[in-house]
Amino acid sequence: MPDLGLDVLFKGKNMLRLLGGLWTAVEISLIAVALSIPLGILLGIIMTSKNPIVKAVTRIYLEFVRIMPQLVLLFIVFFGSTGALGWNISGELASVIVFTAWGTAEMGDLVRGALISIPKHQYESAAALSLTSAQTYIYVIIPQTVRRLIPLSINLITRMIKTTSLILMIGVVEVLKVAQQIIEANRMTSPNAAFGVYLAVLLIYFILCWPISLLARRLEKKWG
Amino acid sequence: MADELLTAEHLVKRFDDNTVLDDVSLSVKKGEVIVVVGPSGCGKSTLLRCLNALEPIQGGKITLDGEAVVYGSKNLAAIRQKIGMVFQSYDLFPHLSVLDNILLAPVKAQKRKKDEAAAEAMKLLERVGLADKAKSFPRQLSGGQKQRVAIVRALCMHPVMMLFDEVTAALDPEMVREVLDVMLNLAKQGMTMIIVTHEMQFAKAIADRVVFLENGEIIEDTDPNTFFEHPQTERAKQFLNIFSFERSKKDEKN
Ligand SMILES: Nc1ncnc2c1ncn2[C@@H]1O[C@H](COP(=O)(O)OP(=O)(O)OP(=O)(O)O)[C@@H](O)[C@H]1O
Ligand SMILES: [Mg+2]
């Protein structure tokens, strides 16, 4: 049997270290998601405004964050804030900032889409029942919006977790970085370690993201 | 004039430069049932929507129970509590059960105790034969059942009057009756109502007054017997002929 370098994984604390790196990635995604959801809901509501200036500004923000590769955003925030502004922010913080900015934009667009898909007569029958517009949003519109949103935002979470593989580029020790370190350390004893270790990384991402995708699909069927 | 519950004086409603209501005046006495008929697009729905300020008006004045009804005004929510409205499209909230649909406004807008409102809601559901559906969701109901729930939802607010906009128009024929019966019962109990409908037999049976609207103007405003048997205007005659023509065609076939 060819040497796939799988043995390296079971050496010392290597598996634990990989999982530790995974936790860093998941932690950053979770914080970013937790911030993106309320901010995105707010942005989405603002985006349905009829004011053309508000519309234009939010649209530009959305397009900008979407078009820029996440890696470039990470570099701008991490190196830019250190170099240009003289702040010394950690790679983790820079990652959270970028992922939140991105997540808020994506979430905002999802919320906007969900809001405009609620039929007009839902607003009207609430008004005819003498609910104020705040009450209409809280009890009628937002609960229906959330049902449409949950599957979509779960998909956004898996996209975020996957994209965290970029943050090793600004020095954050996440899964991929740990994998590189393990491969480096074992270059002499197991030259084939790269294959085994990256295979493990692939499996880790799959095991993490697949159930989340399945859940999203189920909720979509249930509420869609 | 003391017993006039709702008055609309010289209403003018435009969408851009399309005048949909042109100097419409209407008054409704307490306990009166007014049926509004007229060809499609003549402004019936718009009239009802203006009466509880779902639409802004460009001229005229609406008064309910002595208070002015003004689009966007602060006390609009308080005024709307007095006017129940049921629309043609099923407008129940899909994410709430039948009971929660009914309780939302009494509890949140009127700040009533949930238990007390729920007890009343159950009594009202019982009256329209839907007590066993309290826990169901709107998607599990037929069109006729949804409309009966929508009526109960409006009634649970203790309105002083009700507006109905073609509530049976989207229903299969066999479900029309169950909804109309609920409205007939309301009329018996003395509820003040303005009803827009294309069901002429029903209009004849329930109306104290028939208002014929065409092109945004009230052409006739009279008792049902006069309107259906001796319409005063040529246009009302033509309008009623549409319905009798349908009947004579069927007769020919048999
Ligand atoms: N939101 C709107 N914007 C622009 N025009 C409108 C709007 N709502 C209604 N109209 C116009 O106002 C006129 C009256 O419409 P309305 O819905 O009141 O008619 P209706 O008598 O209820 O007709 P139907 O019997 O088909 O329900 C129509 O010409 C319609 O095109
Ligand atoms: Mg209409």
Side-chain angles (χ1 to χ4, degrees):
Chain A
M1 183 173 158
D3 176 15
L4 299 180
L6 288 171
D7 54 316
V8 175
L9 289 170
F10 303 103
K11 254 208 290 217
K13 291 204 167 115
N14 282 353
M15 202 64 200
L16 270 182
R17 285 179 60 205
L18 269 182
L19 291 176
L22 178 71
W23 177 240
T24 307
V26 170
E27 212 178 9
I28 287 172
S29 318
L30 286 181
I31 295 173
V33 166
L35 291 171
S36 297
I37 288 175
L39 291 174
I41 289 176
L42 211 63
L43 178 69
I45 293 175
I46 294 171
M47 284 174 87
T48 60
S49 150
K50 288 188 180 71
N51 183 323
I53 299 171
V54 172
K55 260 184 165 165
V57 170
T58 49
R59 198 76 224 166
I60 289 168
Y61 171 71
L62 177 68
E63 294 299 329
F64 177 81
V65 174
R66 267 194 179 162
I67 289 168
M68 291 289 270
Q70 274 91 35
L71 189 57
V72 177
L73 287 175
L74 282 169
F75 281 166
I76 290 175
V77 172
F78 184 62
F79 296 112
S81 63
T82 324
L85 301 172
W87 297 345
N88 200 3
I89 67 170
S90 68
E92 281 87 350
L93 182 58
S95 311
V96 168
I97 293 172
V98 168
F99 280 85
T100 305
W102 174 47
T104 302
E106 294 282 356
M107 196 66 199
D109 201 34
L110 294 179
V111 171
R112 186 193 60 87
L115 279 178
I116 58 174
S117 72
I118 306 278
K120 190 166 159 246
H121 60 71
Q122 289 284 309
Y123 293 87
E124 289 196 334
S125 42
L129 284 165
S130 81
L131 295 176
T132 62
S133 68
Q135 288 169 332
T136 303
Y137 269 98
I138 295 171
Y139 302 114
V140 178
I141 306 303
I142 292 178
Q144 291 184 56
T145 314
V146 166
R147 262 154 230 254
R148 291 175 199 209
L149 270 180
I150 284 179
L152 301 171
S153 37
I154 291 177
N155 281 329
L156 182 61
I157 294 172
T158 58
R159 274 166 65 204
M160 276 204 188
I161 292 176
K162 281 186 282 189
T163 315
T164 52
S165 57
L166 293 175
I167 62 182
L168 87 155
M169 303 296 287
I170 56 169
V172 180
V173 185
E174 47 66 74
V175 201
L176 218 50
K177 186 75 196 171
V178 175
Q180 285 180 356
Q181 288 170 347
I182 293 173
I183 295 163
E184 278 302 307
N186 295 283
R187 185 172 294 281
M188 294 302 152
T189 50
S190 340
N192 282 340
F195 183 77
V197 173
Y198 284 135
L199 188 68
V201 170
L202 182 108
L203 280 176
I204 285 174
Y205 273 118
F206 182 75
I207 291 169
L208 187 65
C209 293
W210 193 50
I212 303 180
S213 294
L214 279 184
L215 178 68
R217 212 170 311 151
R218 273 193 56 182
L219 290 179
E220 214 158 350
K221 268 209 194 112
K222 193 168 154 203
W223 287 337
Chain B
M1 298 281 283
D3 55 352
E4 247 140 46
L5 191 56
L6 178 93
T7 57
E9 297 161 77
H10 310 293
L11 289 194
V12 177
K13 169 72 198 173
R14 285 185 217 103
F15 290 107
D16 301 319
D17 48 7
N18 176 16
T19 304
V20 174
L21 296 178
D22 191 4
D23 194 20
V24 168
S25 296
L26 181 71
S27 69
V28 188
K29 292 196 186 70
K30 197 166 184 322
E32 211 175 10
V33 176
I34 296 194
V35 169
V36 180
V37 297
S40 180
C42 70
K44 304 179 296 293
S45 300
T46 307
L47 173 62
L48 289 198
R49 294 160 52 78
C50 289
L51 293 180
N52 68 353
L54 286 174
E55 295 280 356
I57 49 177
Q58 279 70 44
K61 191 173 149 214
I62 301 162
T63 316
L64 175 77
D65 227 358
E67 281 179 282
V69 182
V70 182
Y71 181 83
S73 73
K74 270 207 191 108
N75 65 340
L76 193 53
I79 291 174
R80 279 180 179 155
Q81 290 183 15
K82 298 185 182 176
I83 313 178
M85 182 160 185
V86 184
F87 302 80
Q88 171 180 348
S89 57
Y90 315 129
D91 55 352
L92 297 179
F93 306 129
H95 63 297
L96 296 177
S97 69
V98 164
L99 189 61
D100 288 336
N101 258 281
I102 300 169
L103 292 182
L104 182 62
V107 172
K108 301 301 176 189
Q110 293 182 319
K111 313 284 180 216
R112 277 159 62 188
K113 290 241 162 50
K114 196 166 180 180
D115 299 349
E116 171 267 325
E120 187 187 352
M122 288 309 298
K123 260 195 218 128
L124 288 169
L125 279 175
E126 191 109 37
R127 254 181 26 207
V128 301
L130 290 175
D132 56 327
K133 300 287 183 195
K135 297 244 154 54
S136 305
F137 281 84
R139 62 173 178 278
Q140 299 164 314
L141 304 182
S142 71
Q145 291 171 331
K146 281 187 222 178
Q147 287 302 58
R148 283 183 279 162
V149 171
I151 294 172
V152 165
R153 185 174 69 172
L155 288 176
C156 207
M157 298 288 285
H158 304 151
V160 297
M161 70 175 303
M162 293 282 289
L163 308 176
F164 293 92
D165 189 2
E166 296 196 41
V167 293
T168 58
L171 297 179
D172 290 337
E174 68 269 26
M175 288 169 192
V176 169
R177 185 66 201 226
E178 64 192 40
V179 176
L180 296 184
D181 279 341
V182 171
M183 293 160 73
L184 283 164
N185 268 326
L186 278 178
K188 263 186 218 146
Q189 289 155 23
M191 176 59 84
T192 312
M193 303 193 267
I194 302 181
I195 301 170
V196 172
T197 185
H198 283 302
E199 303 280 339
M200 292 302 147
Q201 294 302 320
F202 168 69
K204 225 182 266 185
I206 200 167
D208 294 316
R209 257 169 63 207
V210 177
V211 168
F212 177 60
L213 198 64
E214 197 188 64
N215 274 329
E217 287 177 70
I218 293 182
I219 310 268
E220 296 208 20
D221 180 349
T222 177
D223 65 282
N225 196 38
T226 310
F227 180 76
F228 289 107
E229 307 307 331
H230 316 284
Q232 301 299 300
T233 61
E234 206 44 47
R235 287 191 265 182
K237 276 179 203 155
Q238 277 171 9
F239 174 74
L240 288 169
N241 268 340
I242 300 170
F243 293 91
S244 53
F245 176 63
E246 279 174 356
R247 196 177 308 140
S248 57
K249 226 176 148 183
K250 261 184 221 152
D251 291 346
E252 260 172 38
K253 271 190 199 157
N254 289 343

